[in-house]
Amino acid sequence: MRPKLMMPKSAKGGGRNRSAKKAERYSVPITVQLAVRLKLAARGRAVDAPLLLQSDGSVWDNNPGQNYHRQVDKVVTAIRLDPAEVTMYCLRHSSIVRMLLRNVPIRLVASLHNTSVAMIEKHYSRFITEHSVDDIARVGLLSEIAAADDNVIAMVR
């Protein structure tokens, strides 16, 4: 089983076709465990009903960020972090960084996060090279194995 979610596009950039963009969806892979949980949560509901509901069972309105940020702030405070610094957007950032550090192609990372390669490079390049360049570059280094004779050393990758 290779489950996926169809996510709505953000319709960034506005313009004349903003409503058409909002109707577009893109496929995002999810874990089998999450798929099972979502299937259980959706049991008994219409196929076009919202998948995620608030804790009281009500649907999120057109601007869910106005509602869920208070609950997220409570969780962040409970783990002794600052809600002004640790936001829901941090989940997106950590997902992007995790994928880049695992060598997922940048174009795929951009597509899965509904952004562009240029925006990822602009915002993440300096951090990624700081944390991963050593491990990634080390794979391409030559290493000494044995001396072939006095002035020649056999190298392998």
Side-chain angles (χ1 to χ4, degrees), residues 71-91:
Q71 288 85 358
V72 172
D73 288 354
K74 288 178 186 176
V75 171
V76 171
T77 301
I79 60 173
R80 297 186 178 101
L81 295 174
D82 182 0
E85 291 182 20
V86 180
T87 65
M88 282 292 289
Y89 216 65
C90 290
L91 296 174

Side-chain angles (χ1 to χ4, degrees), residues 2 12 25 49 60 74 85 93 116 121-122 141-142:
R2 297 171 62 95
K12 292 179 195 171
R25 301 286 187 263
W60 297 96
K74 288 178 186 176
E85 291 182 20
H93 291 307
S116 68
E121 288 177 341
K122 178 180 177 182
L141 296 178
L142 297 174

Side-chain angles (χ1 to χ4, degrees), residues 34-110:
L34 178 58
V36 168
R37 286 180 167 198
L38 292 174
K39 197 170 221 178
L40 287 172
R43 186 181 293 158
R45 289 196 260 157
V47 295
D48 61 346
L51 181 59
L52 301 177
L53 303 173
Q54 295 188 63
S55 59
D56 65 2
S58 62
V59 297
W60 297 96
D61 62 14
N62 289 335
N63 192 357
Q66 295 301 314
N67 292 327
Y68 68 68
H69 75 86
R70 286 180 208 86
Q71 288 85 358
V72 172
D73 288 354
K74 288 178 186 176
V75 171
V76 171
T77 301
I79 60 173
R80 297 186 178 101
L81 295 174
D82 182 0
E85 291 182 20
V86 180
T87 65
M88 282 292 289
Y89 216 65
C90 290
L91 296 174
R92 181 175 194 264
H93 291 307
S94 64
S95 176
I96 290 171
V97 170
R98 223 178 10 262
M99 287 185 171
L100 292 172
L101 288 173
R102 291 187 177 140
N103 297 320
V104 175
I106 192 169
R107 178 68 205 119
L108 181 56
V109 174

